[in-house]
Amino acid sequence: SAVISQKPSRDICQRGTSLTIQCQVDSQVTMMFWYRQQPGQSLTLIATANQGSEATYESGFVIDKFPISRPNLTFSTLTVSNMSPEDSSIYLCSAGDRGETQYFGPGTRLLVL
Amino acid sequence: RKEVEQDPGPFNVPEGATVAFNCTYSNSASQSFFWYRQDCRKEPKLLMSVYSSGNEDGRFTAQLNRASQYISLLIRDSKLSDSATYLCVVNDFNKFYFGSGTKLNVKP
């Protein structure tokens, strides 16, 4: 199994600012994903982070709002840009190999004031 | 229509009870299936993969019915520590879709 770390673990931000979340995997993996989870709800896939190319975004999520980088097979970042209170959520990174089990990081709890 | 649908519960059961959760998925071409467990304020963790032949891990049994497009999870002899939200997950061409989760409360 992969061990995944995320930072920051939590943050409180002012509206209009941006926050970059980092995700580090302890081994090389083919697939990395970013999810959002609102309180009491299930996970919503934001995008697939592709190594060396632009991320693949799900419906309702755009690159200008959620730019993603994946410079190598063990690291990815998600930026939440121009934040508003509606962006308050838990952001989760996951990783795994193609078609195989995904493992999750501990999440980043974001509160936008 | 949602990709994956689950009964949200909550299921409130006494210790020692047997409880079953079902989940349906919309894409007949989905390739692999999983049950995850999520504790309050924690990340989801893999409970078990689900295979067509069915698979068992201790008190947990998972079944897949491709013809009817549903997945089940059976928990026998429930423990207090089984209280959590159980997420059904379907892999469609390397995109993982999560159900809304079924909440289980096991009471003494």
Side-chain angles (χ1 to χ4, degrees), chain B residues 4-5 7 9 12 17 19 22 30-31 38 43 49-51 66-67 69 78 86-87 90-92 94 97 102 105 107:
Chain B
V4 183
E5 302 216 39
D7 181 344
N12 299 306
V19 61
N22 290 324
S30 298
Q31 290 109 33
Q38 187 172 27
E43 73 274 22
S49 302
V50 187
Y51 304 114
R66 282 193 181 271
Q69 293 178 216
S78 301
Y86 291 83
L87 301 166
V90 173
N91 172 20
D92 284 352
N94 294 313
Y97 294 97
T102 299
N105 296 315
K107 301 189 180 299

Side-chain angles (χ1 to χ4, degrees), chain A residues 10 31 33 35 37 42-43 45 56 58 92 98-106 109, chain B residues 32 34 36 38 41-44 46 49 87 89 91 94-101:
Chain A
R10 60 180 65 235
M31 312 293 291
F33 303 91
Y35 290 85
Q37 187 172 29
S42 191
L43 286 76
L45 179 63
T56 304
E58 295 300 301
L92 292 145
R98 209 171 290 279
E100 300 295 324
T101 306
Q102 286 188 74
Y103 297 94
F104 284 85
R109 295 177 184 280
Chain B
S32 52
F34 308 89
Y36 278 73
Q38 187 172 27
R41 302 179 70 83
K42 298 285 190 182
E43 73 274 22
L46 176 70
S49 302
L87 301 166
V89 184
N91 172 20
N94 294 313
K95 286 188 181 180
F96 290 76
Y97 294 97
F98 285 74
S100 56

Side-chain angles (χ1 to χ4, degrees), chain A residues 17-36:
Chain A
T17 63
S18 298
L19 175 71
T20 295
I21 303 168
Q22 298 181 10
C23 177
Q24 179 74 54
V25 190
D26 70 340
S27 58
Q28 292 188 347
V29 289
T30 51
M31 312 293 291
M32 291 184 76
F33 303 91
W34 287 97
Y35 290 85
R36 183 169 71 182

Side-chain angles (χ1 to χ4, degrees), chain B residues 8-84:
Chain B
F11 285 60
N12 299 306
V13 303
E15 271 187 290
T18 295
V19 61
F21 306 138
N22 290 324
C23 161
T24 58
Y25 60 96
S26 60
N27 186 355
S28 61
S30 298
Q31 290 109 33
S32 52
F33 310 87
F34 308 89
W35 283 101
Y36 278 73
R37 168 190 172 135
Q38 187 172 27
D39 292 285
C40 188
R41 302 179 70 83
K42 298 285 190 182
E43 73 274 22
K45 293 188 177 176
L46 176 70
L47 181 65
M48 57 199 305
S49 302
V50 187
Y51 304 114
S52 297
S53 55
N55 47 304
E56 187 174 309
D57 182 2
R59 297 181 293 107
F60 299 84
T61 301
Q63 295 274 359
L64 166 64
N65 185 319
R66 282 193 181 271
S68 301
Q69 293 178 216
Y70 82 78
I71 306 151
S72 64
L73 177 67
L74 182 76
I75 305 175
R76 290 181 298 277
D77 188 23
S78 301
K79 311 291 186 192
L80 294 176
S81 57
D82 293 334
S83 297

Side-chain angles (χ1 to χ4, degrees), chain A residues 5 12 17 20-21 28 47 56 70 73 76 88:
Chain A
S5 59
I12 301 173
T17 63
T20 295
I21 303 168
Q28 292 188 347
T56 304
R70 189 171 174 200
L73 290 176
S76 178
S88 298

